[in-house]
Amino acid sequence: MLNKKVLDVLNSQINFEFFSSNIYLQMSSWCDYNGYPGCSAFFRRQAQEELVHMNKFFDYIAEKDECPLVGAIDAPATEYKSLLEVFEKSLEHEKEVTSRINNIAAVSFEDKDFSTFNFVQFFITEQIEEEANFRKILDKFRLAGEDKRGLFFLDREVEQFNTQLLSTAGTATA
Ligand code: FEO
């Protein structure tokens, strides 16, 4: 069993991970439609990864003999001015995720719920990597600006980066 406050923040995170997945799925669609297949594949992978996160929260709550709750999920944005804006919004979103994960750690620690505190450590580490990946790509897009040739090559670079992330995930045991 879990304390009500801890359970509430965990259930809320199930919802937020679903929301994250939908945001990235929609971004993947925007990229594909606007001629950036590399970035589209990157966001498609991100969308799938968010579902893995969602399932981790879902399973943890169930393992603690509680009933996971899904709830209503907000619709993601569909319009972006540029590819740069897509990545800016992604990093902004990941910072919000980090803040929510930190809150789960704080609430569980305050409740002396060390089981949840230990569970959430995976996500604390994960967020360092997620923010770093988006920041790395974003820096390159800021340099490229609106130059079409630059964007074309960056899209291919993101595709290669995505393949690299996929092969790393394939060899990971977590
Ligand atoms: Fe589930 Fe991108 O954090």
Side-chain angles (χ1 to χ4, degrees):
M1 300 297 280
L2 293 160
N3 163 298
K4 165 99 173 67
K5 212 172 158 188
V6 174
L7 181 58
D8 284 350
V9 287
L10 288 171
N11 268 322
S12 160
Q13 197 60 27
I14 288 181
N15 191 284
F16 207 72
E17 298 291 345
F18 256 129
F19 181 46
S20 305
S21 179
N22 288 348
I23 286 175
Y24 293 143
L25 190 60
Q26 193 64 62
M27 285 177 170
S28 164
S29 160
W30 186 94
C31 291
D32 185 49
Y33 186 74
N34 287 280
Y36 303 111
C39 292
S40 176
F42 172 81
F43 281 111
R44 196 65 190 259
R45 193 195 70 84
Q46 289 294 323
Q48 284 162 358
E49 196 172 311
E50 299 304 345
L51 291 181
V52 172
H53 295 170
M54 181 282 296
N55 274 304
K56 279 184 187 281
F57 281 100
F58 192 98
D59 290 343
Y60 177 73
I61 293 172
E63 277 164 13
K64 298 300 276 185
D65 203 22
E66 300 282 0
C67 182
L69 302 173
V70 174
I73 300 157
D74 291 338
T78 55
E79 299 293 331
Y80 296 97
K81 287 197 294 278
S82 62
L83 194 53
L84 176 66
E85 191 190 17
V86 171
F87 278 95
E88 281 173 343
K89 294 285 181 200
S90 310
L91 180 58
E92 218 173 275
H93 184 75
E94 286 303 328
K95 286 181 178 172
E96 171 67 21
V97 176
T98 302
S99 148
R100 284 167 181 260
I101 295 293
N102 288 345
N103 184 49
I104 296 172
V107 169
S108 55
F109 191 79
E110 198 181 319
D111 187 52
K112 294 189 170 58
D113 177 351
F114 298 115
S115 160
T116 302
F117 186 71
N118 181 54
F119 163 74
V120 87
Q121 298 309 305
F122 165 85
F123 291 95
I124 290 175
T125 309
E126 180 80 358
Q127 281 313 114
I128 296 170
E129 192 189 312
E130 297 251 304
E131 280 194 33
N133 286 345
F134 279 110
R135 203 170 282 119
K136 207 183 295 174
I137 297 171
L138 191 51
D139 284 347
K140 293 185 182 197
F141 277 105
R142 281 188 176 131
L143 278 174
E146 290 304 309
D147 177 61
K148 294 261 187 282
R149 255 176 76 88
L151 286 174
F152 173 79
F153 285 110
L154 269 180
D155 183 60
R156 290 176 64 172
E157 209 177 305
V158 171
E159 190 164 24
Q160 280 165 9
F161 182 53
N162 189 45
T163 310
Q164 222 177 317
L165 289 173
L166 277 170
S167 65
T168 312
T171 54
T173 50

